[in-house]
Amino acid sequence: MTRVALIDDHESVRLGLEAALARAGKDLVFSGATVAQYLAWRTGSRSAPADVVVLDLTLGDGTTATDNVSRLVSDGSSVIIHSVADRPAAVREALMAGAAGVVSKSSPIGDVIAAIRTVAAGEHLDNVEWASAVDGDRAFADAQLSAREREVLRLYAAGLPLKVVADRLGVAYSTAKENITRVRVKYVEVGRPAPTKVDLLRRAMEDGIVEQPSEDPSGGA
């Protein structure tokens, strides 16, 4: 029997799912409002991880989707995100953190039960509608640069030598160089390599870090 845990800070949602799981013959081992509560229950009861955790995308305790999914996957459970379809960036983060798929809160209860069955069998969900939302999210290919990395990239891509960039920002040359190295690595990780300075300028313009050059309406006269 599939062991299921529900984590949602809306009690009414949990109660509805609990009733549906009972009718479907699933073994509900935990129902609560936070991942921390679930992990504390795991520790206290010395129970094995749930086979599948149905997790609300956004919980009221301030945790992120990435942290919650990562903790649950590391603990040994498969994770289904149960959410409304209005936060593609957070959905993307959850899927990248290892969630097996997403089920909309507007879906019939039967879809949730079917998703649990699919994931418990070791399969990922076919999230066609979510894929379009994620792919349409501009942040999908975002290299997730830090504020410092963006500033180093902005100055360097605009044409300043790296030593000048370091002096202007008041950091060591080695620090500026390390920032540019990390920027290149991050762009590679999202499938947007930038091996040359020209490539870095292109990426910086694509991401709005450096302004696109405006065309001269006079034709350069």
Side-chain angles (χ1 to χ4, degrees), residues 8-9 22 24 28 41 43 75 83 114 125 132 138 162 183 185 197:
D8 194 307
D9 55 358
L28 179 64
W41 165 79
T43 300
D75 189 54
S83 176
L125 300 182
S132 60
R138 189 169 180 269
L162 201 51
V183 166
V185 168
K197 193 169 185 176

Side-chain angles (χ1 to χ4, degrees), residues 40-200:
W41 165 79
R42 279 257 297 113
T43 300
S45 65
R46 296 185 180 180
S47 177
D51 298 311
V52 179
V53 176
V54 179
L55 172 69
D56 188 11
L57 184 65
T58 306
L59 299 175
D61 61 349
T63 54
T64 67
T66 296
D67 287 343
N68 286 331
V69 173
S70 297
R71 293 174 74 186
L72 292 169
V73 171
S74 296
D75 189 54
S77 297
S78 297
V79 178
I80 294 173
I81 296 297
H82 192 219
S83 176
V84 292
D86 63 352
R87 296 192 60 206
V91 170
R92 170 182 54 82
E93 292 170 6
L95 294 175
M96 291 180 67
V102 188
V103 178
S104 173
K105 284 190 174 180
S106 63
S107 299
I109 288 290
D111 288 359
V112 181
I113 300 301
I116 292 171
R117 189 179 303 115
T118 297
V119 171
E123 302 173 14
H124 276 60
L125 300 182
D126 182 12
N127 292 134
V128 176
E129 72 278 16
W130 289 95
S132 60
V134 171
D135 287 341
D137 176 25
R138 189 169 180 269
F140 180 73
D142 189 349
Q144 303 288 319
L145 304 183
S146 69
R148 171 65 75 190
E149 289 164 354
R150 290 174 68 88
E151 187 63 13
V152 170
L153 174 59
R154 183 181 69 81
L155 295 174
Y156 182 64
L160 293 180
L162 201 51
K163 187 177 186 310
V164 175
V165 172
D167 291 342
R168 182 168 295 189
L169 295 178
V171 300
Y173 172 80
S174 59
T175 299
K177 184 176 181 180
E178 181 182 344
N179 274 279
I180 288 297
T181 298
R182 285 204 303 267
V183 166
R184 284 197 164 103
V185 168
K186 287 183 177 182
Y187 275 122
V188 167
E189 288 175 345
V190 295
R192 301 168 62 201
T196 69
K197 193 169 185 176
V198 172
D199 292 321
L200 282 173

Side-chain angles (χ1 to χ4, degrees), residues 30-42:
F30 176 86
S31 180
T34 68
V35 172
Q37 289 175 4
Y38 167 75
L39 294 176
W41 165 79
R42 279 257 297 113

